[in-house]
Amino acid sequence: MGRAFEYRKARKMKRWGNMARVFTKLGKEISIAVKAGGPEASSNPRLRALIQNAKAANMPKENVERAIKKAISKDEADYKEMVYEGYAPHGIAVVVETATDNPTRTVANVRSYFNKLGGSLGTTGSLSFLFDRKSVFKIVPKPDLDLEELELELIDYGVDEIFAEENEVILYGEFESFNKIQKHLEENGFEIISSEFERIPNDTKELGEEEQAQVMKLIERIEEDEDVQNVFHNMK
């Protein structure tokens, strides 16, 4: 088992704190997917994946349908996916993914969080070399599933790491291979629980307890912003 497994096990990042925030995040992602690929899940792989994610998050079906209808209406805001990069205290690299209808507001807010809590916002792309962007799929294991055989089967589709966790099998693959992996899993009868993109640090930095607390204070403040979708960092 490689970096993805270790990263997942060690990750202490506080994720979405309540259901309302989860649903808001998914609603924005659904809106972006519908505007890009249309409202029919059968012909829009990204929307299909997000509907699975919504189900895994216990988002009511009517909420999903409402998000799709809103996305095709003229009144719905156009959300832009913006990525911001900076350093938290003690040299910890932080990547902030946002979906916003007002990038000017969002960048001002994100910059203020970094400045007030001992960090600094950098230029977009300045820290991308510190992370690998990966496609991540959670699937239901079939009876008598052989992980090694599955890994060999999926290598040609861009999967480079597989491991079992509780009642799920987690696949990590190349970012560009998301659609290819999704299609193969669907065509071969695997039940996909959820799928997403993650940024995995190429190397992690170890800090003391007090230093960790300072970094987490900044990360948690960023995560509270309604425009923020995900926050990734390289703190061990």
Side-chain angles (χ1 to χ4, degrees):
M1 293 184 181
R3 271 190 310 118
F5 175 79
E6 292 304 322
Y7 170 69
R8 191 172 197 92
K9 286 295 183 186
R11 197 173 180 190
K12 302 295 185 186
M13 188 177 69
K14 178 183 175 185
R15 298 307 293 265
W16 303 94
N18 55 60
M19 298 302 281
R21 289 183 62 77
V22 175
F23 297 167
T24 300
K25 174 188 172 185
L26 284 166
K28 285 185 178 182
E29 290 180 337
I30 288 168
S31 177
I32 291 166
V34 168
K35 286 180 183 292
E40 297 299 326
S42 58
S43 57
N44 187 336
R46 185 63 192 141
L47 177 59
R48 204 156 61 242
L50 288 168
I51 290 171
Q52 289 161 341
N53 291 358
K55 185 179 176 183
N58 295 315
M59 185 173 180
K61 189 178 178 183
E62 54 267 29
N63 289 37
V64 175
E65 291 170 350
R66 195 182 307 124
I68 293 171
K69 284 178 184 174
K70 274 184 71 178
I72 57 178
S73 75
K74 292 179 181 177
D75 299 329
E76 174 71 345
D78 281 330
Y79 293 109
K80 293 181 180 178
E81 294 180 292
M82 309 291 292
V83 178
Y84 304 104
E85 301 166 29
Y87 281 102
H90 314 294
I92 296 299
V94 178
V95 178
V96 182
E97 295 178 345
T98 70
T100 177
D101 59 353
N102 186 336
T104 303
R105 175 194 67 217
T106 305
V107 69
N109 287 344
V110 171
R111 181 179 286 111
S112 74
Y113 307 145
F114 276 95
N115 290 345
K116 288 175 183 175
L117 292 165
S120 60
L121 188 64
T123 55
T124 299
S126 59
L127 303 181
S128 56
F129 71 97
L130 294 174
F131 296 83
D132 281 338
R133 201 172 184 201
K134 293 289 186 180
S135 303
V136 188
F137 289 82
K138 288 183 184 179
I139 62 173
V140 176
K142 291 181 179 179
D144 304 319
L145 177 68
D146 186 311
L147 285 183
E148 287 188 11
E149 281 186 18
L150 182 62
E151 190 163 13
L152 287 172
E153 175 188 334
L154 290 172
I155 281 174
D156 291 340
Y157 295 90
V159 171
D160 49 35
E161 191 169 345
I162 294 178
F163 58 90
E165 189 176 87
E166 296 175 354
N167 299 318
E168 304 168 341
V169 173
I170 300 174
L171 318 174
Y172 277 81
E174 297 164 4
F175 170 70
E176 299 81 4
S177 299
F178 185 95
N179 289 346
K180 198 160 57 168
I181 297 167
Q182 180 186 10
K183 184 179 178 185
H184 181 79
L185 292 172
E186 289 175 343
E187 289 178 347
N188 286 272
F190 286 96
E191 183 185 342
I192 302 173
I193 300 168
S194 65
S195 52
E196 61 183 336
F197 299 111
E198 282 191 9
R199 297 177 192 266
I200 301 173
N202 292 315
D203 198 16
T204 53
K205 188 171 181 178
E206 192 163 359
L207 300 179
E209 231 174 273
E210 193 174 317
E211 294 171 329
Q212 281 186 31
Q214 291 173 341
V215 174
M216 288 309 302
K217 189 174 181 181
L218 169 60
I219 290 169
E220 288 173 3
R221 181 65 192 91
I222 295 170
E223 286 185 325
E224 288 170 4
D225 191 290
E226 62 180 13
D227 294 333
V228 172
Q229 298 289 89
N230 292 297
V231 182
F232 299 97
H233 59 80
N234 68 342
M235 181 170 68
K236 191 169 183 179

